[in-house]
Amino acid sequence: MPIYDNQGTYDTEMAVGYAGMEADTSGPRDVASRIIETAAVAFGLAVGRGTADGSAKISGGGFEGITIEDKTRTADQYAVGEVAAVKRKGSVWVVADGAVTPAGTVTYTEATGAIGVKAVATGIVAIPNAKFENTAADGALVRVYLG
């Protein structure tokens, strides 16, 4: 329920998270630094390997990880040439691409980096050892565990 005053409107409850936010930092964790190639990458998207050593990009080869937020950025994304934090193990919040449940296979769309439960096909790849930690509707936040 929002609070109204002459300064504006404020939520009375905090959001559980946001795309790219680490959901749990107490367990196993592996974050790599990767230079972004080709196009800007928003927080909470899957990236693949880039063409140069130590790089990553949307539509890259294989699954490298999920970009996590960096509060020093002025936009919620990493620009081309910037060093991105890419989570390879642990839990991270993402926006669900389709309705998801913990029983669903975690996949990502190579062209967009969106994470959901689409059937594996050309351009849609299963993320090995990953699982959804909660149920979420299309476009809602969901926790993904990378194992």
Side-chain angles (χ1 to χ4, degrees), residues 59-80:
S59 295
F63 174 74
E64 187 69 20
I66 298 172
T67 55
I68 57 174
E69 57 88 18
D70 180 342
K71 288 300 179 190
T72 65
R73 306 279 178 227
T74 55
D76 290 341
Q77 65 182 12
Y78 294 102
V80 173

Side-chain angles (χ1 to χ4, degrees), residues 68-121:
I68 57 174
E69 57 88 18
D70 180 342
K71 288 300 179 190
T72 65
R73 306 279 178 227
T74 55
D76 290 341
Q77 65 182 12
Y78 294 102
V80 173
E82 289 185 328
V83 176
V86 177
K87 189 148 187 134
R88 301 186 301 186
K89 186 169 191 164
S91 292
V92 61
W93 289 102
V94 302
V95 175
D97 184 20
V100 302
T101 66
T105 300
V106 181
T107 62
Y108 75 100
T109 304
E110 289 180 312
T112 63
I115 298 165
V117 290
K118 292 182 177 177
V120 173

Side-chain angles (χ1 to χ4, degrees), residues 7 15 21 33 35 69 71 74 124 133-134 138:
Q7 298 281 323
M21 180 178 148
S33 296
I35 298 169
E69 57 88 18
K71 288 300 179 190
T74 55
I124 300 174
E133 295 187 300
N134 60 293
D138 182 29

